[in-house]
Amino acid sequence: MNKVILMGRLTREPDVRYSQGETPMAIARYTLAVDRRFKRDSDQTADFISCVAFGRQAEFVEKYLHQGTKVVVTGRIQTGSYTNKEGQKVYTTDVVAEDHEFAESKSASSENSGGFQNAAPSRPEPSAVPADGFLNIPDGIDEELPFN
């Protein structure tokens, strides 16, 4: 079984590109800084894991994930290799992300990323909830949801 679960922060803005062809597909690449559980004096305190997402997951990354966002990524490890311009064989290891979940609230994310405002909708104040307990959902919100 090949299953990976990571929790960490994006080290930079995701690099999102679209494939060529009849039906272009989004491909998002980003790096997660994942804290190590145990720390030694001279060791680094985080691992930097390369992640890649395809299709709908890549579109989600493009729209909602930014530098500093703390997320839980579920996926699988994939290895590969290629020959670079100098003729040397380069080996790669990536996590292919199959699912993303936010790991902190919007306000906590703002505090940890220097004022970044997440694109996810915020929860209304309790006083803004109508007496019947149901919220009024604005028209056109369907286009902003990351799932259908």
Side-chain angles (χ1 to χ4, degrees), residues 135-146:
L135 293 174
N136 293 325
I137 299 175
D139 292 333
I141 194 76
D142 294 324
E143 292 86 35
E144 299 206 13
L145 296 176

Side-chain angles (χ1 to χ4, degrees), residues 22-141:
E22 218 173 279
T23 54
M25 179 176 58
I27 302 166
R29 291 189 173 279
Y30 57 93
T31 302
L32 273 185
V34 178
D35 288 333
R36 289 187 176 168
R37 183 168 241 168
F38 302 103
K39 301 173 186 175
R40 293 187 189 153
D41 293 334
S42 62
D43 286 347
Q44 77 183 57
T45 60
D47 292 300
F48 298 89
I49 316 262
S50 297
C51 300
V52 61
F54 299 96
R56 307 272 290 155
Q57 285 298 316
E59 292 169 8
F60 177 86
V61 168
E62 180 177 37
K63 190 168 185 178
Y64 294 102
L65 302 187
H66 302 280
Q67 180 177 353
T69 305
K70 189 173 188 178
V71 293
V72 174
V73 176
T74 307
R76 60 187 168 78
I77 291 180
Q78 181 172 295
T79 59
S81 66
Y82 64 91
T83 304
N84 67 13
K85 293 178 184 176
E86 290 81 38
Q88 298 170 332
K89 194 158 194 163
V90 178
Y91 294 92
T92 63
T93 302
D94 293 309
V95 171
V96 177
E98 298 167 350
D99 188 45
H100 298 86
E101 293 183 37
F102 294 105
E104 66 185 356
S105 68
K106 182 178 178 181
S107 61
S109 178
S110 297
E111 292 170 14
N112 290 317
S113 63
F116 161 74
Q117 290 297 314
N118 195 328
S122 63
R123 179 179 284 208
E125 294 298 320
S127 60
V129 177
D132 63 3
F134 293 97
L135 293 174
N136 293 325
I137 299 175
D139 292 333
I141 194 76

